[in-house]
C-alpha cells in the first residue's frame, strides 16, 4: 500500500458475527482518497438500489482518510456514511474528536458494518484485533454513561468511541452518531441506522503510525499550512469564541434564524452571542485532534435551574436553534439543551428546528396544549420546550410523530401545518435563506439534503467584494445574495472543495471555510503528495471533487431523488410566501420561479437533466463515471 | 555560570542557564498536536504512541496536561540506572538523555519516574523520553495554543508571579476601581 493510508478495510457482518479484513485497492484509494468519497463509492457499489436504511443489507460506514491522524491541520475528522432514514438519500455526516486518527492507528481506513445483531452489541477494535461484544448492559445508557462504562470495562482511558444514545436506539430519524462524548455527526440520522443494527458503540485503540512518503517534505508542507492559519485574523477570533461568533454578524445582516424563521433579528441576541456565552459559561477551550484553532469550548452553567450543567462544543447552530428560534435569550438554557442532545445523541439542528415549528403551530392555534401533552409552547417558555425535547427523545405523545422527521409529521398534521415547515427532504436548515439565492441553492443541492456544510457560499454571506466576484466568476453580482447570477458556480466552488476536506479527512475550518486565504487546494495537494507519494495537483483534486459530487447525485437519483427533491417540502410557503416583518430583510421572499431557474442551471452545470434531475450519459462520462452511467441506464434512470 | 562549574563529575547538577519546557494548563486544549509532531520529529511517523510527550486528558473535568520529562535536578532515573553512562545529562541543554548504545532496557527508570514521563517504543523496544530536541523542542514550536513554552531556567515562575499579582496591581493603580484580571488561584 502507498503511504498515508492504513491499507485495510475492516468488514463486520453483525448478522453472522463475521469479521474480515480486506485490502484497500491502491487504485481506488488514489482516486477516492477516503472518508466521504470512498465511503460513498462503497455504499453505491455494495448496497442494492432502493434498500431501506433499516434493512439488514444497509451498510453503516465509519471512515478516515489518508490525511487523518497526521500533521495536516485539523486532521481528526471521522466520516459517517450510510443512507439517511430522515431524507431517504445519502446520509453522510462528519465529526471531530479523536476517533478517526485512532482508527488509522489501529490499522484501518474504514469500518464497513452490515447486518443486524440479534442482541445489543458493541465493537472493540484493539490494534487490528477485532471483537464483537455484548452490550445489553449499555443499552439504554446515554452517551456519556456508555463511554465511561466501556472505558472502564476495557481498562484504557485512551480508547476512542463512536456511539449512539437512547435516540439512536429508538430509531429517531435525526439521531446522531456521537464521536467521543460531545462531537456529533449530527445530520441525516445516521445514529438511527446504527441503532437498527443493534450496535451501541464502536471502541478503538491503536499504536501503529502513519509514515509519510517524504517525512521532511510533508513536515514542511504541513508547517506552512499551520503558519498560514495562524496569520488569519478570523483564526484568532474562532479560537477565542468558536462559531457563536456568527450570532452578531447574522443579527446585523438580518438573517438570524428567529421564531421558526418568522424574523431575521432577535431582540435578545446580545444575551446569547459569543461574548455572552464565553462570559457566562466558559471554562476553557478544547481542541479536536491536532487542531491549531481549537474552536470548541468547555462550558459550565454557574447559576439558575440548570446550575452544574457541563458540556462542550456548543456551536452557532445550537445557539440559534435553542435560543433565537425558541425566543429564549438564556445561554444557560441553550447549554442545558446542548448537554441533553449530546447525552441522548440527537441532532441539535433538527431537534431545535422541529420544536420551533411546533411552537409556531401553537402560536397560530393549529396545535393546542391538549395535542402537546399539556405543554404551553409560548415562545420563551423554557420548561415547556425542555419538556418537548424529552418527549421527542422518549417518543412520547407528539414526540413519536416528530421523531419521524418533518415530512412525515407534516403529512400527519395537514396542509395548514405544512405551510410552516422549513425542510427539504425532511431535513431542516440551520439558516434562514429567504430571498438569498446562493445560500438557498446550497441547501437545495446538498447531496445530503437540506444543509449548509456542503456548499454554503461564504463570500455571499460576507457580502463579498464585487471586484473579487468579477475576477473569480466573471460577474460582479456573483456574491450578491438577492440575484441568481453565477450562483451554481459559487456553490460548486465550495461543494467540490468540501468533498476533498471530508475525504482527506480534515476540518473545513482549517481550510477555506472561514477565509479564502486559508489552506487551499494547492496547499492540500502539496501535503497530500508528500504524504502519499502520489502526484496530486490543485486541478486533480478539483476534478475529484466534481466526479465524487456527480457520483453522490447519481446515488441520490437512484434512491429516488427526482426534480421535486430539489424543491422545498410542501411547496415551501415558509420561504416563498412568508416574510420578515422587520429588519433589513423585511418583506423579502424567495421567488419560486427564480429559485427553479437557478436549480435548473445548477443541474445542467453538473451534467444532470433539469426536468427529471436524472443524470445524462455525457454528464457522467465526462468525469470518468461510465460504469455508473451504465448502471443508471440499466435502471432506466439515464437521460441519453 | 561558567561551563566548569556546571559540570560535576560529568553531570550537570546545577543547571542554571538552561531552558525547560513549561506547560500552561489553562491554554492547553488537549488537541494532542504536540504528540504527533514529537513522534514525527523522532521517528518520522505520525504516531502518538511513539511520542515522548503525552497529553493526559480528563475529558469530563476539562483537564488536559501534557506530560514529558522534567529533566529533574535530582534525576531518579539516573540514580537507579544500573549501567554507567546509559543515562546522562546533555551538557549543552541540560536534558537527561538515554544512550541507546549502553542502555539495556531494564525499565528501572520507567519504574521510578514520578510522572510516567519515560516510555518504551513499541517497534524498537527502546526506552524513549524527551530529549529537548537539542534545544529546539518541536512541540513548543508547533503548539498553536502557546500552552508549551521553552523558558530559561531563571525565568521559570516569572509569568506565574506576574499573573498572581495582576489584580493587586490593578487595585493599587486604581484604588476603588473595578478589578479586572484573573483572581489568584
Amino acid at each position: 500500500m502507498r503511504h498515508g493510508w492504513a491499507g485495510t478495510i475492516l468488514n463486520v457482518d453483525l448478522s453472522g458475527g463475521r469479521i474480515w479484513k480486506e485490502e484497500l485497492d491502491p487504485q481506488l484509494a488514489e482516486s477516492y482518497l477516503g472518508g466521504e468519497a470512498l465511503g460513498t463509492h462503497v455504499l453505491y457499489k455494495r448496497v442494492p438500489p432502493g434498500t431501506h436504511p433499516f434493512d439488514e443489507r444497509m451498510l453503516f460506514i465509519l471512515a478516515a482518510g489518508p490525511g487523518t491522524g497526521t500533521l495536516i491541520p485539523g486532521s481528526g475528522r471521522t466520516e459517517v456514511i450510510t443512507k439517511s432514514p430522515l431524507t431517504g438519500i445519502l446520509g453522510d455526516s462528519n465529526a471531530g474528536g479523536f476517533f478517526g486518527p485512532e482508527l488509522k492507528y489501529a490499522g484501518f481506513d474504514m469500518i464497513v458494518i452490515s447486518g443486524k445483531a440479534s442482541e445489543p452489541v458493541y465493537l472493540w477494535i484493539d490494534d487490528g484485533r477485532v471483537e464483537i461484544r455484548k452490550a445489553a448492559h449499555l443499552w439504554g445508557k446515554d452517551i456519556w454513561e456508555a463511554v465511561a462504562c466501556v472505558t472502564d470495562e476495557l481498562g484504557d482511558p485512551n480508547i476512542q468511541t463512536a456511539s449512539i444514545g437512547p435516540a439512536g436506539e429508538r430509531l429517531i430519524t435525526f439521531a446522531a452518531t456521537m464521536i467521543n462524548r460531545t462531537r456529533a455527526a449530527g445530520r441525516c440520522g445516521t445514529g438511527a441506522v446504527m441503532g437498527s443494527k443493534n450496535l451501541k458503540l464502536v471502541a478503538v485503540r491503536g499504536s501503529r503510525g502513519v509514515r509519510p512518503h517524504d517525512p521532511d517534505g510533508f513536515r514542511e508542507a504541513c508547517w506552512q499550512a499551520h503558519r498560514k492559519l495562524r496569520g488569519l485574523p478570523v483564526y484568532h477570533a474562532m479560537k477565542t469564541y468558536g462559531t457563536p461568533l456568527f450570532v452578531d454578524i447574522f443579527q446585523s445582516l438580518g438573517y438570524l434564524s428567529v421564531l421558526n424563521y418568522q424574523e431575521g433579528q432577535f431582540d435578545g441576541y446580545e444575551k446569547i452571542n459569543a461574548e455572552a456565552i464565553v462570559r457566562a459559561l466558559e471554562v476553557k477551550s478544547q481542541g479536536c485532534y491536532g487542531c491549531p484553532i481549537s474552536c470548541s469550548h468547555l462550558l459550565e452553567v454557574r447559576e439558575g435551574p440548570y446550575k452544574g450543567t457541563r458540556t462542550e462544543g456548543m456551536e452557532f447552530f445550537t445557539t440559534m436553534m435553542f435560543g433565537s428560534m425558541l425566543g429564549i435569550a438564556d445561554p444557560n438554557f441553550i447549554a442545558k439543551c446542548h448537554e441533553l442532545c449530546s447525552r441522548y445523541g440527537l441532532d441539535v439542528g433538527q431537534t431545535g428546528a422541529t420544536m420551533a415549528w411546533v411552537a409556531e403551530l401553537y402560536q397560530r392555534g393549529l396545535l393546542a396544549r391538549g395535542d402537546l401533552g399539556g405543554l404551553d409552547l409560548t415562545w420563551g417558555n423554557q420548561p415547556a420546550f425542555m419538556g418537548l425535547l424529552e418527549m421527542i427523545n422518549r417518543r412520547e405523545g407528539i414526540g413519536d410523530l416528530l421523531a419521524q422527521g418533518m415530512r412525515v409529521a407534516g403529512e400527519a398534521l395537514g396542509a395548514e401545518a405544512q405551510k410552516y415547515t422549513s425542510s427539504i427532504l425532511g431535513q431542516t436548515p440551520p439558516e434562514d435563506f429567504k430571498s438569498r439565492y446562493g445560500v438557498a441553492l446550497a441547501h437545495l443541492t446538498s447531496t445530503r439534503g437540506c444543509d449548509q456544510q456542503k456548499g454554503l457560499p461564504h463570500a455571499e454571506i460576507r457580502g463579498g467584494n464585487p471586484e473579487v466576484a468579477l475576477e473569480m466568476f466573471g460577474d460582479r453580482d456573483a456574491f450578491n445574495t438577492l440575484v441568481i447570477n453565477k450562483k451554481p458556480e459559487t456553490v460548486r466552488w465550495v461543494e467540490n472543495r468540501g468533498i476533498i476536506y471530508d475525504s482527506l479527512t480534515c476540518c473545513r475550518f482549517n481550510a477555506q471555510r472561514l477565509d479564502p486565504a486559508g489552506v487551499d487546494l494547492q496547499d492540500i495537494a502539496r501535503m497530500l503528495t508528500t504524504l502519499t507519494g502520489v502526484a496530486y495537483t490543485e486541478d486533480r483534486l478539483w476534478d475529484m471533487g466534481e466526479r465524487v459530487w456527480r457520483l453522490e447525485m447519481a446515488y441520490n437519483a437512484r434512491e429516488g431523488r427526482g426534480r421535486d427533491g430539489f424543491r422545498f417540502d410542501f411547496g415551501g410557503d415558509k420561504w416563498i410566501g412568508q416574510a420578515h416583518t422587520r429588519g433589513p430583510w423585511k418583506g423579502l421572499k424567495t421567488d419560486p420561479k427564480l429559485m427553479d431557474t437557478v436549480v435548473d442551471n445548477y443541474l445542467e452545470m453538473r451534467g444532470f437533466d433539469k426536468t427529471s434531475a436524472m443524470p445524462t450519459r455525457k454528464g457522467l462520462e465526462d468525469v470518468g463515471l461510465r460504469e455508473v452511467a451504465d448502471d443508471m441506464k440499466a435502471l432506466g434512470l439515464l437521460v441519453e | 555560570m561558567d561551563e566548569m562549574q556546571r559540570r560535576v563529575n560529568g553531570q550537570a547538577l546545577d543547571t542554571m542557564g538552561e531552558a525547560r519546557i513549561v506547560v500552561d494548563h489553562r491554554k492547553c486544549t488537549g488537541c494532542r498536536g504536540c504528540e504527533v509532531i514529537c513522534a514525527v520529529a523522532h521517528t518520522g511517523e505520525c504516531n502518538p504512541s511513539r511520542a515522548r510527550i503525552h497529553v493526559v486528558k480528563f475529558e469530563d473535568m476539562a483537564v488536559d496536561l501534557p506530560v514529558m520529562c522534567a529533566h529533574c535536578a535530582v534525576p531518579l532515573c539516573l540514580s537507579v540506572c544500573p549501567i554507567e553512562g546509559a543515562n546522562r545529562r546533555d551538557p549543552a541543554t541540560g536534558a537527561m538523555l538515554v544512550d541507546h548504545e549502553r542502555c539495556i532496557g531494564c525499565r528501572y527508570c520507567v519504574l521510578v519516574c514520578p510522572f510516567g514521563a519515560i516510555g518504551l517504543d513499541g517497534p524498537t523496544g527502546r526506552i524513549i523520553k524527551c530529549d529537548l530536541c537539542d534545544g529546539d523542542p518541536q512541540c513548543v514550536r508547533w503548539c498553536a495554543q502557546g500552552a508549551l513554552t521553552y523558558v530559561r531556567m531563571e525565568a521559570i515562575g516569572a509569568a506565574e508571579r506576574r499573573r498572581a499579582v495582576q489584580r493587586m496591581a490593578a487595585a493599587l493603580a486604581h484604588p476603588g476601581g473595578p478589578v479586572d484580571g484573573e483572581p489568584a488561584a
Side-chain angles (χ1 to χ4, degrees):
Chain A
M1 192 63 203
R2 297 187 168 88
H3 294 267
W5 290 273
T8 308
I9 295 176
L10 172 64
N11 291 283
V12 179
D13 171 18
L14 292 173
S15 295
R18 208 160 73 85
I19 296 164
W20 70 105
K21 296 172 189 175
E22 172 191 351
E23 193 200 338
L24 172 60
D25 174 4
Q27 278 301 324
L28 200 63
E30 193 177 317
S31 339
Y32 286 92
L33 294 180
E36 177 182 350
L38 190 59
T40 303
H41 175 84
V42 169
L43 187 75
Y44 172 83
K45 293 290 265 191
R46 299 189 187 178
V47 183
T51 304
H52 190 275
F54 296 157
D55 188 296
E56 280 191 33
R57 290 168 300 172
M58 183 48 62
L59 298 180
F60 177 81
I61 299 171
L62 290 163
T68 313
T70 69
L71 286 175
I72 294 176
S75 63
R77 311 283 304 178
T78 308
E79 185 76 19
V80 185
I81 300 124
T82 185
K83 185 174 172 182
S84 167
L86 178 64
T87 63
I89 59 168
L90 180 69
D92 97 87
S93 192
N94 76 53
F98 296 85
F99 183 91
E102 204 70 28
L103 182 62
K104 284 278 286 292
Y105 303 149
F108 301 107
D109 298 291
M110 182 183 271
I111 316 173
V112 180
I113 299 165
S114 60
K116 175 180 175 159
S118 54
E119 55 181 349
V121 294
Y122 78 93
L123 200 62
W124 167 223
I125 303 166
D126 183 13
D127 246 345
R129 290 184 298 276
V130 186
E131 196 185 335
I132 300 169
R133 295 169 71 113
K134 291 187 187 220
H137 60 302
L138 302 176
W139 208 253
K141 283 194 162 52
D142 74 34
I143 304 275
W144 297 5
E145 293 165 345
V147 169
C149 190
V150 167
T151 306
D152 192 44
E153 189 172 311
L154 299 174
D156 186 344
N158 292 320
I159 65 158
Q160 309 298 341
T161 58
S163 64
I164 54 166
E169 295 173 13
R170 295 185 187 119
L171 310 182
I172 293 176
T173 57
F174 41 94
T177 302
M178 299 294 294
I179 303 298
N180 299 108
R181 283 159 50 91
T182 54
R183 312 293 171 162
R187 306 246 76 189
C188 299
T190 58
V193 177
M194 207 168 154
S196 77
K197 298 191 173 305
N198 265 332
L199 178 62
K200 175 70 177 178
L201 180 145
V202 180
V204 63
R205 184 77 170 102
S207 65
R208 304 170 191 195
V210 181
R211 183 167 283 278
H213 164 77
D214 166 10
D216 291 341
F218 178 62
R219 191 169 155 185
E220 180 56 27
C222 293
W223 177 241
Q224 292 308 327
H226 276 262
R227 282 182 60 92
K228 198 171 180 182
L229 281 167
R230 291 189 201 184
L232 302 178
V234 68
Y235 160 84
H236 297 279
M238 277 293 281
K239 186 191 283 294
T240 310
Y241 296 113
T243 53
L245 193 63
F246 300 114
V247 170
D248 283 353
I249 300 168
F250 276 46
Q251 169 78 11
S252 68
L253 293 168
Y255 42 69
L256 204 65
S257 297
V258 180
L259 309 180
N260 197 33
Y261 315 102
Q262 292 184 73
E263 298 295 346
Q265 288 181 326
F266 179 54
D267 288 337
Y269 82 97
E270 279 174 321
K271 290 183 182 155
I272 59 166
N273 66 7
E275 280 286 352
I277 289 171
V278 165
R279 196 182 318 116
L281 305 169
E282 162 103 4
V283 178
K284 78 196 257 289
S285 280
Q286 295 279 269
C288 295
Y289 169 92
C291 180
I293 301 180
S294 292
C295 69
S296 175
H297 296 259
L298 187 104
L299 307 173
E300 181 175 78
V301 178
R302 303 198 178 100
E303 58 186 19
Y306 316 116
K307 186 177 173 177
T309 299
R310 280 171 83 101
T311 190
E312 195 213 308
M314 203 167 92
E315 305 286 341
F316 173 47
F317 201 176
T318 321
T319 312
M320 284 198 296
M321 291 300 132
F322 298 114
S324 53
M325 276 285 267
L326 306 181
I328 294 171
D330 178 3
N332 297 339
F333 174 81
I334 300 170
K336 184 67 191 176
C337 290
H338 184 267
E339 185 219 35
L340 291 178
C341 287
S342 298
R343 283 174 170 269
Y344 298 159
L346 279 169
D347 175 24
V348 288
Q350 187 86 13
T351 306
T354 301
M355 300 206 307
W357 173 52
V358 174
E360 186 174 1
L361 299 182
Y362 183 74
Q363 169 199 325
R364 296 182 185 280
L366 295 165
L367 285 174
R369 286 177 79 145
D371 304 313
L372 302 168
L375 297 175
D376 168 22
L377 283 191
T378 304
W379 299 112
N381 186 352
Q382 297 186 13
F385 283 109
M386 197 68 82
L388 185 59
L389 196 158
E390 296 288 355
M391 283 172 77
I392 292 172
N393 179 49
R394 289 199 299 266
R395 299 190 71 146
E396 271 174 19
I398 196 166
D400 184 48
L401 180 65
L402 299 173
Q404 296 170 64
M406 200 168 269
R407 267 189 308 188
V408 175
E411 288 293 349
L413 294 175
E416 271 304 299
Q418 289 166 12
K419 278 170 63 177
Y420 305 102
T421 57
S422 55
S423 60
I424 299 162
L425 295 166
Q427 187 150 266
T428 57
E431 290 200 34
D432 186 323
F433 42 66
K434 279 183 211 80
S435 190
R436 299 165 65 205
Y437 291 95
V439 176
L441 182 70
H443 286 77
L444 285 164
T445 57
S446 161
T447 44
R448 64 168 179 174
C450 192
D451 169 66
Q452 39 84 301
Q453 287 294 354
K454 296 265 178 195
L456 196 68
H458 327 129
E460 182 175 325
I461 304 254
R462 285 191 292 266
N465 183 340
E467 296 310 319
V468 179
L470 182 66
E471 191 189 316
M472 285 178 71
F473 297 100
D475 190 325
R476 293 176 58 86
D477 277 332
F479 301 151
N480 179 349
T481 199
L482 291 163
V483 299
I484 66 169
N485 306 30
K486 295 288 177 190
K487 293 303 177 286
E489 288 80 359
T490 60
V491 168
R492 174 172 65 174
W493 192 92
V494 181
E495 287 174 340
N496 285 7
R497 283 169 169 76
I499 294 272
I500 301 305
Y501 311 149
D502 293 348
S503 305
L504 253 182
T505 57
C506 86
C507 180
R508 50 197 63 206
F509 285 162
N510 283 282
Q512 288 177 286
R513 178 74 194 230
L514 298 169
D515 189 331
V519 174
D520 59 26
L521 287 185
Q522 265 185 28
D523 301 317
I524 289 176
R526 207 172 299 125
M527 291 189 284
L528 205 46
T529 303
T530 47
L531 173 64
T532 62
V534 179
Y536 288 102
T537 60
E538 182 180 3
D539 288 347
R540 187 172 175 191
L541 292 176
W542 171 266
D543 291 346
M544 185 186 299
E546 183 73 30
R547 171 161 41 85
V548 174
W549 192 268
R550 291 187 191 194
L551 173 67
E552 292 182 352
M553 287 179 71
Y555 172 83
N556 289 340
R558 191 185 86 177
E559 301 307 310
R561 186 184 202 182
R563 184 61 180 82
D564 273 345
F566 291 88
R567 292 193 174 99
F568 308 120
D569 288 348
F570 305 117
D573 196 65
K574 173 60 73 187
W575 311 115
I576 65 174
Q578 299 162 36
H580 300 165
T581 63
R582 45 178 277 214
W585 246 243
K586 182 181 171 181
L588 289 172
K589 300 170 189 173
T590 303
D591 180 330
K593 282 205 186 68
L594 279 181
M595 202 68 248
D596 264 348
T597 305
V598 71
V599 170
D600 286 349
N601 295 345
Y602 177 91
L603 288 168
E604 289 195 319
M605 177 190 75
R606 290 289 193 184
F608 279 60
D609 176 54
K610 67 177 180 186
T611 319
S612 61
M614 292 297 124
T616 65
R617 176 166 289 282
K618 185 171 184 313
L620 292 177
E621 288 189 351
D622 278 355
V623 292
L625 294 174
R626 168 167 295 188
E627 210 181 313
V628 176
D630 294 341
D631 294 345
M632 297 299 283
K633 184 174 173 64
L635 293 166
L637 299 173
L638 190 74
V639 177
E640 290 283 352
Chain B
M1 296 297 283
D2 86 49
E3 194 62 20
M4 286 305 290
Q5 216 174 335
R6 289 176 55 209
R7 292 174 172 225
V8 182
N9 297 332
Q11 303 290 342
L13 294 178
D14 177 356
T15 49
M16 181 118 77
E18 295 159 2
R20 292 291 181 267
I21 298 170
V22 173
V23 174
D24 185 339
H25 67 92
R26 280 159 305 210
K27 288 185 179 169
C28 178
T29 65
C31 83
R32 299 175 57 197
C34 51
E35 297 182 13
V36 196
I37 185 57
C38 177
V40 170
H42 290 92
T43 71
E45 208 174 82
C46 305
N47 185 352
S49 73
R50 300 187 73 184
R52 278 72 171 155
I53 181 170
H54 292 281
V55 182
V56 176
K57 296 165 72 82
F58 291 89
E59 216 182 334
D60 50 341
M61 293 186 274
V63 172
D64 304 285
L65 201 64
V67 175
M68 82 296 283
C69 176
H71 307 284
C72 303
V74 184
L76 292 180
C77 51
L78 177 64
S79 311
V80 300
C81 183
I83 307 295
E84 196 173 339
N87 256 301
R88 61 183 176 82
R89 197 178 290 275
D90 182 336
T93 62
M96 287 303 303
L97 301 179
V98 178
D99 183 342
H100 292 297
E101 298 289 308
R102 301 187 189 194
C103 174
I104 58 169
C106 70
R107 292 177 283 113
Y108 274 27
C109 54
V110 178
L111 197 71
V112 296
C113 175
F115 303 102
I118 306 177
L120 212 60
D121 186 41
T124 61
R126 282 178 169 177
I127 293 290
I128 46 172
K129 60 186 290 304
C130 169
D131 57 6
L132 294 179
C133 296
D134 289 333
D136 181 16
Q138 294 303 299
C139 53
V140 171
R141 183 179 284 259
W142 282 66
C143 178
Q145 315 306 331
L148 299 175
T149 43
Y150 195 47
V151 184
R152 289 179 68 85
M153 299 273 267
E154 63 270 27
I156 288 175
E160 287 73 10
R161 266 195 302 282
R162 209 173 166 73
R163 195 158 46 226
V165 297
Q166 198 178 354
R167 276 167 66 88
M168 196 191 290
L172 291 171
H174 308 285
V179 177
D180 278 341
E182 291 178 51

